[in-house]
Amino acid sequence: MPIENTRTYDVIVIGAGPVGENVADRTTAAGLSTVLVESELAGGECSYWACEPSKALLRPVLLRADAAHVPGLDSAMKGPLDVESVLAHRNRMSADWQDDGQVEWIKSAGIDLVRGHGRLTGTREVSVSSPEGDTVRLRARHAVALCTGSSAALPPLPGIEKLLPWTSREATSAQRAPQRLVIVGAGVVGVEMATAWQALGSRVTLLAREGGLLPRMEPFAGELVTERLREAGADVRFDISVVGAERVGEGGNEVRVTLSDGGVITADEILFATGRAPRSQDIGLDTVGLNPGDWLATDDSLTVTAVPGHWLYAVGDVNRRALFTHQGKYQARIAGAVIAARARGERLRTGRWAPHSSTADSEAVPGVVFTDPEVASVGLTVREAERTGRDVEVVDYEIGHLAGAVQYRPDYHGRARILIDRERQTVVGATFAGPGVAELLYSATVAITGEVPVERLWHAVPAFPTISEVWLRLLETRRDS
Ligand SMILES: Cc1cc2nc3c(=O)[nH]c(=O)nc-3n(C[C@H](O)[C@H](O)[C@H](O)COP(=O)(O)OP(=O)(O)OC[C@H]3O[C@@H](n4cnc5c(N)ncnc54)[C@H](O)[C@@H]3O)c2cc1C
Ligand SMILES: NC(=O)c1ccc[n+]([C@@H]2O[C@H](COP(=O)([O-])OP(=O)(O)OC[C@H]3O[C@@H](n4cnc5c(N)ncnc54)[C@H](O)[C@@H]3O)[C@@H](O)[C@H]2O)c1
């Protein structure tokens, strides 16, 4: 007999990914009783099929790329990667796809967890269907936060369902390297997975429908990554799309891909890295006047603007503001503070950079692409500045000229670009592409969010010999140009 029961909490959070967990943590810490609803694994996409496994696959690849060019280590780097150990390490970093550790943390934080598929059933009401067929009805006194994330979006290719294609899930959790892997899509997932699997033994063909890789970033970033992927043996093609694909061979063990230029490629697997779709199809949006399957638009307090009453929030990937774990967790801290303030009847402190406003989503979203070389960017690119009519100065510097870069790796090649707002005289965008630049990014993020005047940056002295000296060289280049 299916069981039905009803429970009341101050706050209901649907989705226990990194973002939902952080909303629940903040509301619980504010003294609000909170329940998390999760249909798969607590920890979400990031822990099992995205950030953690992908970075575990990439770390040895990037370390090796550097070490292979450092005198004294180069000869030790001649052999192939120990693929079995890399995959075993990846499995451990994905907690072997078990969420016991996360569940323990949820309990220790004083948060209740209900397993099952959550759906809104009306204002501040949620119903959860458990895998056993039971239903739990939840009521919220104050807020419901939708943190259901995103899933891979597949292109409308005829017969795609019969192809059994890889998405980001298979690409991050596969237990062996396919001999031949075709990757469609040149965004972050496409280039990271091309870097990983090419190094792990697959022959990768990467297909970009644009004229370069990483099309949303500064073009030099994609050019450097293309160069290194090609050196590693990957077949990288531009201005091309897939017009057809089918499983062929014995038991359908091969994929035959037909391209827009008439070419045909045969591979063992095909990965579609063609963007994300919101997980909002079946979460009861129609019961509150929203369209199932839509991204959920919010204001800077993460409140869903189309629903009256200030009780519904959308946080993380599902609101499409910035599809990164760190940015979703930033939103979660703000949403948690907003929910707590409203529950206490306090006025929100909104406005640029105020505690209840996720301003960084529009001004300074940092992101690192863990390719060889790494690409790190925050704030505007030149293209975005042009599109939004911002008057900026653009300053470029070849990172390989720095003493710190040569110490890092004698053949260092990389590029840095900052954008300076002419009127405000502050940095509004930065992109670094080169080995080891990931850790540089926070300095740029602080410069942008702190709106540090460029004149003051002259007093921020980078240590010698580090790659951070790029900041000084960028200032000198601007002064002397
Ligand atoms: C291959 C790959 C690599 C990435 N690498 C990075 C990286 O290095 N750094 C970075 O910052 N970002 C990275 N990202 C992006 C990052 O994974 C996402 O931004 C992040 O996971 C979003 O967190 P979230 O909590 O919003 O959603 P998710 O992590 O998707 O979690 C949503 C949770 O909600 C649950 N859920 C959904 N619907 C329901 C429902 N109806 N009822 C109950 N539960 C439900 C899901 O099961 C899931 O557990 C990567 C993404 C991909 C695809
Ligand atoms: N290191 C990281 O932080 C990291 C790593 C991976 C993913 N992510 C996040 O995940 C998000 C999703 O990444 P993604 O790479 O899936 O998406 P994306 O939007 O970055 O790139 C998608 C690519 O697929 C192409 N594409 C879309 N439809 C296509 C079609 N029908 N045929 C051919 N090409 C097509 C696009 O032109 C684009 O090049 C990113 O925006 C990023 O925020 C972050």
Side-chain angles (χ1 to χ4, degrees):
M1 263 277 286
I3 303 167
E4 274 212 34
N5 64 41
T6 303
R7 302 185 209 161
T8 302
Y9 289 87
D10 290 325
V11 181
I12 302 168
V13 179
I14 307 186
V19 176
E21 286 184 337
N22 275 268
V23 173
D25 179 53
R26 291 298 80 212
T27 53
T28 307
L32 299 172
S33 63
T34 302
V35 62
L36 264 170
V37 180
E38 174 54 52
S39 58
E40 293 186 81
L41 294 176
E45 211 67 16
C46 179
S47 303
Y48 309 103
W49 300 287
C51 330
E52 295 285 2
S54 62
K55 268 74 258 182
L57 291 174
L58 284 159
R59 176 68 187 138
V61 178
L62 303 195
L63 186 56
R64 188 173 189 271
D66 286 344
H69 294 90
V70 175
L73 268 180
D74 44 357
S75 54
M77 294 296 133
K78 294 279 187 252
L81 276 175
D82 176 353
V83 177
E84 216 173 293
S85 297
V86 175
L87 296 180
H89 169 64
R90 184 279 319 273
N91 293 352
R92 282 192 299 277
M93 292 299 283
S94 315
D96 284 310
W97 294 273
Q98 304 288 321
D99 65 0
D100 314 29
Q102 300 278 338
V103 172
E104 209 172 291
W105 172 83
I106 289 168
K107 276 192 197 146
S108 73
I111 303 161
D112 278 359
L113 173 67
V114 173
R115 289 201 183 265
H117 186 95
R119 287 178 194 86
L120 289 164
T121 48
T123 302
R124 288 194 291 274
E125 283 181 3
V126 168
S127 129
V128 185
S129 324
S130 80
E132 295 77 36
D134 300 331
T135 302
V136 178
R137 295 196 183 281
L138 301 171
R139 286 212 183 93
R141 290 185 197 95
H142 297 293
V144 177
L146 302 173
C147 305
T148 52
S150 66
S151 55
L154 291 174
L157 200 63
I160 194 164
E161 63 288 347
K162 291 200 204 117
L163 262 185
L164 306 175
W166 276 15
T167 66
S168 48
R169 284 204 169 189
E170 289 76 16
T172 49
S173 62
Q175 295 298 333
R176 61 173 196 87
Q179 274 185 11
R180 299 158 299 174
L181 174 64
V182 172
I183 301 180
V184 186
V188 196
V189 173
V191 296
E192 283 191 348
M193 290 299 97
T195 304
W197 289 110
Q198 180 67 34
L200 291 167
S202 301
R203 262 185 290 132
V204 169
T205 305
L206 178 56
L207 304 173
R209 68 177 176 184
E210 297 88 357
L213 302 184
L214 297 171
R216 281 194 246 159
M217 308 190 86
E218 296 289 7
F220 66 80
E223 285 160 19
L224 284 168
V225 175
T226 304
E227 219 173 273
R228 304 307 302 271
L229 270 172
R230 284 184 174 153
E231 273 169 31
D235 177 359
V236 182
R237 304 191 197 181
F238 300 138
D239 300 308
I240 197 146
S241 24
V242 172
V243 292
E246 56 181 341
R247 283 257 160 213
V248 294
E250 203 178 310
N253 61 348
E254 289 188 322
V255 185
R256 189 162 55 208
V257 185
T258 310
L259 305 173
S260 50
D261 65 359
V264 173
I265 309 174
T266 307
D268 301 285
E269 300 293 351
I270 182 166
L271 161 63
F272 285 100
T274 44
R276 311 290 296 171
R279 287 183 69 172
S280 65
Q281 192 62 46
D282 184 22
I283 57 170
L285 291 185
D286 49 324
T287 67
V288 294
L290 300 173
N291 286 326
D294 279 0
W295 296 98
L296 292 167
T298 73
D299 61 15
D300 280 354
S301 72
L302 288 320
T303 310
V304 176
T305 39
V307 174
H310 297 148
W311 62 272
L312 188 64
Y313 298 78
V315 196
D317 273 16
V318 76
N319 66 26
R320 207 188 203 175
R321 291 169 72 91
L323 283 73
F324 291 104
T325 292
H326 46 266
Q327 208 65 22
K329 284 160 70 174
Y330 160 77
Q331 294 170 13
R333 294 189 287 276
I334 288 166
V338 168
I339 293 169
R342 283 189 172 138
R344 288 194 293 260
E346 293 170 6
R347 263 173 77 101
L348 294 190
R349 293 163 65 196
T350 54
R352 230 165 142 256
W353 305 119
H356 297 138
S357 184
S358 58
T359 312
D361 288 351
S362 49
E363 305 256 347
V365 176
V368 173
V369 188
F370 293 84
T371 40
D372 174 21
E374 287 171 348
V375 178
S377 75
V378 56
L380 297 179
T381 59
V382 170
R383 206 179 308 116
E384 283 160 357
E386 282 167 2
R387 187 173 50 79
T388 53
R390 292 285 283 271
D391 185 12
V392 294
E393 268 177 76
V394 180
V395 189
D396 283 351
Y397 189 77
E398 164 55 54
I399 307 176
H401 292 159
L402 294 168
V406 178
Q407 288 284 359
Y408 190 92
R409 170 174 165 170
D411 68 334
Y412 196 107
H413 180 34
R415 188 144 157 216
R417 168 170 289 175
I418 56 170
L419 275 62
I420 298 168
D421 184 297
R422 268 185 224 278
E423 194 192 322
R424 288 204 245 151
Q425 288 296 300
T426 59
V427 178
V428 290
T431 300
F432 307 102
V437 296
E439 299 298 339
L440 262 186
L441 191 58
Y442 192 66
S443 55
T445 309
V446 170
I448 297 176
T449 56
E451 298 178 349
V452 182
V454 176
E455 280 306 306
R456 179 61 65 85
L457 281 177
W458 281 98
H459 296 276
V461 182
F464 179 84
T466 63
I467 298 173
S468 309
E469 278 202 303
V470 71
W471 279 104
L472 179 57
R473 297 282 179 263
L474 285 162
L475 295 181
E476 289 172 348
T477 303
R478 175 179 183 245
R479 178 195 62 196
D480 300 339
S481 64

